[in-house]
Amino acid sequence: MERLIQADGQPCYGLFPHSPALINYRDFDFRSPMGRRLGALAKWRRFHQFQYFGLMGEQLIGGCALAHLSLVSIAFVYLYHPPSGRLLERRFKAPLGLGSRFSQAPDDGVCTFRRGRNHLRLENRADEGLRRVRVELDDGLVLDASFREAADEAGEGEAARPFQPLCICTPVASTGWTFARKVAGVRCHGEVSGPLGRFDLATLDTFAHHDWSAGFMRPETCWRWACLSGWVDGRRVGLNLACGVNETSFTENCFWLDGELIKVDSVAFRFDRDDPLQPWTITSFDGQVELTFQGVGLHRERLDLLIMASHFRQVFGRFHGTLRPRGRPSVSIDGLWGFVEDHYAKW
């Protein structure tokens, strides 16, 4: 599919094997809930996009995100070192996206955010299947991490198989839509250096998660999300679960075994909203997922500008429980690192 928005001005809905080459949101026939056609200014105001790159491993866990919300662009990066318990985190905001650049090509584009000597860059290359994050901060932190969506862990004499990403577009509210492309359970390469020390991500067996999302989301929304990645009995395992966004007709819930995507039904999150570091319970309606999560630390963002607001809490910690793919042996999850998230937004 070359473009998400078709000739009739509507997006193509469903689950896709690959991303559209372009999220051509300007071609969307955007309407008010009462059917009035809306113009370019309304499209600019209501279209939001973000990209996230997460790292998961025994020596390092963290994330980097860039978000463009029309009136403001937001960026953050944080790194947690489990052996020492040290956490580094930085947050940046730019009115009207000044100093930022966002591509609407999920597989072949660059998103950047620059503030003074702080530079954050998320790069995707279709010809290489490459996903890369590059961060340079004024405190000396340099993060350069990447992965390729191929089964590069294939054994001797085995052919590498392409990774199966989750690509989904669903209706949202009365007239909107959301597109998401997600990956988890891939090995990460690169280096991190700075106040926490120097780390070779491949040597430390670090895994990655990637999320590219955009669309005309609900003006006031909330969601919960969970993700994990790592080795289980010699297999690469990844997981992506959510409720609150992509649930109209289709869900984004799934897990990966050695790059193979396995869909999951709707999920329920149970947790203490006053203390998200308390244990979480996450279960799927179809019985394929039964997990608990124990938080170790969290990254928090709060923004209240009257016409815009965000209460974002991303918790990092360890998962325990069971994945039960239909017709296959169960997969026991015993202490894999990952994330959960509780997010309210008015935009």
Side-chain angles (χ1 to χ4, degrees):
M1 189 194 320
E2 286 298 315
R3 293 168 176 260
L4 180 68
I5 308 302
Q6 305 298 293
D8 62 358
Q10 296 301 311
C12 183
Y13 292 117
L15 294 162
F16 319 127
H18 306 288
S19 307
L22 181 67
I23 308 301
N24 54 322
Y25 74 93
R26 294 180 180 86
D27 297 329
F28 176 46
D29 183 9
F30 191 27
R31 304 290 183 102
S32 74
M34 303 305 293
R36 180 171 58 89
R37 182 172 278 112
L38 302 175
L41 180 61
K43 292 180 186 180
W44 169 81
R45 175 66 182 91
R46 301 302 332 164
F47 180 78
H48 305 314
Q49 72 176 95
F50 55 87
Q51 193 173 169
Y52 177 78
F53 194 113
L55 301 174
M56 286 159 276
E58 293 294 331
Q59 294 293 314
L60 207 62
I61 187 166
C64 174
L66 302 182
H68 183 52
L69 311 177
S70 66
L71 296 178
V72 64
S73 286
I74 297 171
F76 71 76
V77 60
Y78 72 88
L79 290 169
Y80 175 73
H81 183 228
S84 68
R86 293 184 63 194
L87 173 66
L88 301 179
E89 52 186 337
R90 296 287 296 275
R91 306 172 180 85
F92 306 97
K93 295 180 179 67
L96 301 178
L98 298 176
S100 65
R101 178 165 60 95
F102 285 79
S103 165
Q104 279 78 59
D107 291 339
D108 200 17
V110 176
C111 298
T112 63
F113 187 103
R114 186 181 293 275
R115 175 63 62 87
R117 294 189 295 117
N118 302 294
H119 186 205
L120 298 85
R121 175 187 176 95
L122 287 163
E123 176 182 356
N124 308 307
R125 294 299 178 198
D127 56 346
E128 307 174 43
L130 178 73
R131 309 281 161 175
R132 182 183 183 190
V133 57
R134 172 82 182 181
V135 175
E136 300 176 38
L137 300 185
D138 55 13
D139 61 3
L141 174 67
V142 176
L143 163 62
D144 192 345
S146 64
F147 65 86
R148 286 179 168 82
E149 292 176 7
D152 55 356
E153 317 306 326
E156 185 176 351
E158 297 179 8
R161 296 172 301 168
F163 191 95
Q164 297 178 326
L166 173 78
C167 301
I168 183 173
C169 184
T170 61
V172 169
S174 59
T175 62
W177 51 266
T178 299
F179 169 81
R181 186 190 194 281
K182 300 195 175 187
V183 168
V186 288
R187 293 195 66 201
C188 189
H189 303 266
E191 291 187 344
V192 175
S193 61
L196 291 177
R198 183 177 296 273
F199 305 87
D200 183 304
L201 299 177
T203 300
L204 296 175
D205 223 2
T206 309
F207 278 71
H209 161 76
H210 185 262
D211 174 3
W212 197 107
S213 295
F216 292 81
M217 304 173 189
R218 292 182 182 89
E220 187 171 8
T221 189
C222 65
W223 65 73
R224 281 92 199 204
W225 171 74
C227 174
L228 63 79
S229 289
W231 291 110
V232 177
D233 296 329
R235 307 184 72 182
R236 287 171 294 118
V237 177
L239 174 138
N240 179 87
L241 303 173
C243 67
V245 181
N246 288 308
E247 294 176 319
T248 308
S249 305
F250 314 92
T251 79
E252 65 177 68
N253 301 321
C254 64
F255 57 86
W256 290 267
L257 299 178
D258 287 330
E260 178 188 359
L261 185 148
I262 298 171
K263 278 296 281 110
V264 174
D265 205 336
S266 56
V267 295
F269 290 73
R270 297 177 179 86
F271 66 103
D272 186 340
R273 296 199 65 187
D274 294 325
D275 187 359
L277 290 174
Q278 292 299 312
W280 294 49
T281 300
I282 305 164
T283 55
S284 66
F285 179 78
D286 60 12
Q288 289 193 95
V289 175
E290 187 175 344
L291 296 172
T292 60
F293 172 85
Q294 178 59 62
V296 174
L298 80 159
H299 174 78
R300 183 193 305 265
E301 300 279 340
R302 293 179 66 94
L303 176 70
D304 191 353
L305 303 177
L306 298 181
I307 61 172
M308 296 183 66
S310 175
H311 187 194
F312 171 85
R313 296 181 293 179
Q314 185 175 98
V315 187
F316 47 89
R318 293 185 182 271
F319 283 90
H320 297 265
T322 306
L323 305 179
R324 300 185 180 92
R326 294 189 180 95
R328 307 188 194 186
S330 297
V331 178
S332 295
I333 305 299
D334 186 15
L336 281 188
W337 283 96
F339 309 99
V340 296
E341 188 173 288
D342 176 34
H343 187 198
Y344 161 79
K346 180 175 69 174
W347 46 29

